[in-house]
Amino acid sequence: MKFREIKNNVFYCGLNDKERKIFDELIPLEQGTSYNSYLVNGSEKVAIIDTMYPPKADEYFKNLDENKVTKVDYIILNHGEQDHTGVLPELIKRHPDAVVVTNQFCKNNIMEMLFIPEDRIKVVRNDEKLSLGDKTLKFIIAPGVHWPDTMFTHIVEDNLLCTCDFLGAHYTFDDIFADDSENLAHCAKRYYAEIMMPFRKMCQKYVKQIKELKPEMILPSHGPIYKNPEFILNLYEDWSADNAKNLVLLPYVSMYGSVAEMVNYLSDKLNDAGIQTIKHDIVSDDLGDLAVALVDAKTIVFGVSMVLCSPHPAAANAAYLVNILNPKTEYISIIGSYGWGGDLVGKLTCIMSNLKAELIEPILVKGRAKTDTFQKLDEMAKAIIEKHS
Ligand code: FEO
């Protein structure tokens, strides 16, 4: 496949992975993903920015050969995770004179994880520059989006910014440039929810920094290249903003329909008051949709059946995901149904201990909801409506 030129001797040499169904063995991929790699042909030196996911190694090296990439002086690593560095051992074998350029944290990672010899690595600091002749690479150390080893690379004269995983999307494409579509925004949000949301404050910081830099294009490590950087920067600004939206997320698992009945009742009450709700069946619905809803939800109310005196394991798993994704949710509550008793609220709130959310009085009922249960649900709805107003 012939490399596509992005601008002025900067080429896309990444690959789509349309067949991949899940990322991190956690969130299903609706539309596959891409692993982006960039080739920068300077007048004196040639650099590759980020490499490739190992299962795509053969295709990647075939493309490099077909495009006659015989001389590589620098291999820039913006991050050490193996979807971008997995083929590095083979790449440095093929190019014995190439120098791997990265930050100190990433250097430690690739030495330990990929057994890259120390004498092949050059460490760069924040704002350090590397000349390729008529082009300069400038490195911006950006820990926290999403690993401590992350950095960005600015191709200065062309004003192209390689942002690594930051601002990416699990999205495949024929044209390498973003179509700025609803579909792309959806995939980018799903990606943000899983990968960047736990680092929301850092996202705010780097969005601001990149807006000040005003790159002509953003070249992420997954998904298409943004010719209109404002498209993705404005979306990130919205998703990472401190204020949650007027949305109640209701993840639930219901063994005999008792929990579902209560969740539906509460949802209807909230909708009547103008509050948007998302009911998420934890057992059968897509986990990625749950993650996306977490980006905006002001309140989460778990609906949970109890199994063997404890929360249903599917609910515990969802609560654990909520805890590690650490959304900006402000209020949380639980509606539970049990057969003979046990600890539901204590165990679930313990799992979600990262959350700063205020607990609204939970509701527990033996079996199905009774008249007083619906009264309590009315009170819960009233409390949520007040907090959302
Ligand atoms: Fe796409 Fe953090 O690797």
Side-chain angles (χ1 to χ4, degrees):
M1 188 183 67
K2 196 169 181 318
F3 290 160
R4 294 280 310 275
E5 188 169 21
I6 300 163
K7 183 187 172 186
N8 195 21
N9 280 323
V10 179
F11 296 87
Y12 180 82
C13 54
L15 291 169
N16 281 316
D17 190 350
K18 293 187 179 181
E19 306 307 317
R20 192 163 177 186
K21 301 293 180 217
I22 192 163
F23 208 85
D24 292 341
E25 299 303 308
L26 178 62
I27 301 285
L29 296 177
E30 293 175 310
Q31 302 177 36
T33 191
S34 73
Y35 316 104
N36 299 346
S37 177
Y38 300 102
L39 181 75
V40 186
N41 269 334
S43 58
E44 293 172 17
K45 304 281 185 187
V46 175
I48 285 179
I49 301 178
D50 293 329
T51 69
M52 187 48 59
Y53 179 51
K56 289 282 185 182
D58 289 349
E59 199 179 342
Y60 182 66
F61 288 119
K62 183 168 169 274
N63 282 347
L64 289 177
D65 291 343
E66 282 179 5
N67 285 273
K68 304 192 182 346
V69 181
T70 51
K71 172 182 178 295
V72 176
D73 300 290
Y74 299 115
I75 301 163
I76 315 298
L77 298 183
N78 283 326
H79 166 41
E81 200 165 5
Q82 287 167 42
D83 51 337
H84 309 294
T85 58
V87 304
L88 183 63
E90 175 65 19
L91 190 59
I92 61 169
K93 212 181 285 174
R94 285 169 179 245
H95 297 279
D97 297 327
V99 176
V100 178
V101 178
T102 193
N103 60 78
Q104 182 65 49
F105 209 120
C106 189
K107 173 188 170 182
N108 297 343
N109 284 346
I110 60 171
M111 286 177 62
E112 195 163 352
M113 294 176 180
L114 299 168
F115 311 115
I116 305 299
E118 186 167 18
D119 62 5
R120 297 296 305 265
I121 307 170
K122 171 183 167 63
V123 169
V124 289
R125 296 172 190 275
N126 190 44
D127 283 343
E128 195 168 329
K129 291 177 181 169
L130 181 71
S131 175
L132 307 180
D134 62 344
K135 294 185 189 297
T136 310
L137 304 181
K138 184 176 171 185
F139 306 104
I140 301 167
I141 309 294
V145 286
H146 64 137
W147 274 25
D149 70 355
T150 301
M151 69 181 195
F152 306 151
T153 299
H154 189 210
I155 307 168
V156 177
E157 289 78 4
D158 302 300
N159 197 15
L160 305 176
L161 185 66
C162 301
T163 55
C164 192
D165 284 320
F166 190 50
L167 309 173
H170 290 315
Y171 194 74
T172 55
F173 42 84
D174 295 319
D175 187 349
I176 56 172
F177 296 111
D179 53 15
D180 294 3
S181 64
E182 285 283 324
N183 185 31
L184 174 57
H186 165 81
C187 290
K189 186 172 188 178
R190 200 172 158 102
Y191 174 100
Y192 167 86
E194 183 203 345
I195 296 170
M196 295 294 161
M197 184 163 62
F199 314 104
R200 191 171 62 80
K201 289 286 181 187
M202 301 306 280
C203 292
Q204 291 176 355
K205 173 184 163 182
Y206 294 119
V207 164
K208 186 166 178 285
Q209 193 172 330
I210 293 172
K211 280 199 163 186
E212 285 165 7
L213 184 66
K214 294 187 174 49
E216 183 182 323
M217 295 184 218
I218 286 174
L219 284 52
S221 294
H222 299 281
I225 294 161
Y226 301 99
K227 266 186 170 171
N228 168 23
E230 291 289 310
F231 171 80
I232 191 68
L233 290 169
N234 289 345
L235 287 171
Y236 262 64
E237 220 165 47
D238 178 47
W239 301 332
S240 65
D242 289 335
N243 294 333
K245 300 222 162 87
N246 188 20
L247 169 69
V248 176
L249 172 62
L250 298 148
Y252 70 95
V253 49
S254 185
M255 289 166 60
Y256 289 104
S258 308
V259 167
E261 183 184 28
M262 292 188 282
V263 164
N264 288 335
Y265 182 86
L266 179 67
S267 177
D268 289 347
K269 287 280 168 189
L270 295 170
N271 292 160
D272 288 347
I275 295 177
Q276 187 196 353
T277 58
I278 294 177
K279 292 181 278 188
H280 180 91
D281 185 329
I282 297 167
V283 176
S284 61
D285 290 346
D286 184 315
L287 206 57
D289 291 339
L290 176 70
V292 168
L294 291 172
V295 173
D296 296 320
K298 194 180 187 87
T299 299
I300 304 172
V301 181
F302 269 89
V304 185
S305 296
M306 289 185 73
V307 176
L308 299 172
C309 305
S310 295
H312 190 290
N317 183 51
Y320 183 79
L321 182 69
V322 170
N323 189 58
I324 59 170
L325 295 184
N326 199 11
K328 58 190 161 195
T329 300
E330 296 169 27
Y331 306 99
I332 192 152
S333 195
I334 298 162
I335 299 168
S337 172
Y338 59 89
W340 67 89
D343 179 19
L344 175 61
V345 174
K347 285 180 177 164
L348 274 185
T349 53
C350 180
I351 291 171
M352 294 186 283
S353 58
N354 281 348
L355 266 60
K356 306 282 185 292
E358 176 187 330
L359 182 68
I360 295 172
E361 185 65 30
I363 299 171
L364 298 178
V365 63
K366 184 176 172 73
R368 293 193 63 182
K370 328 284 187 302
T371 306
D372 70 317
T373 319
F374 290 112
Q375 284 168 356
K376 286 179 187 167
L377 287 165
D378 288 341
E379 285 162 23
M380 181 183 277
K382 192 170 165 234
I384 293 171
I385 292 162
E386 277 171 12
K387 291 180 185 304
H388 279 234
S389 60

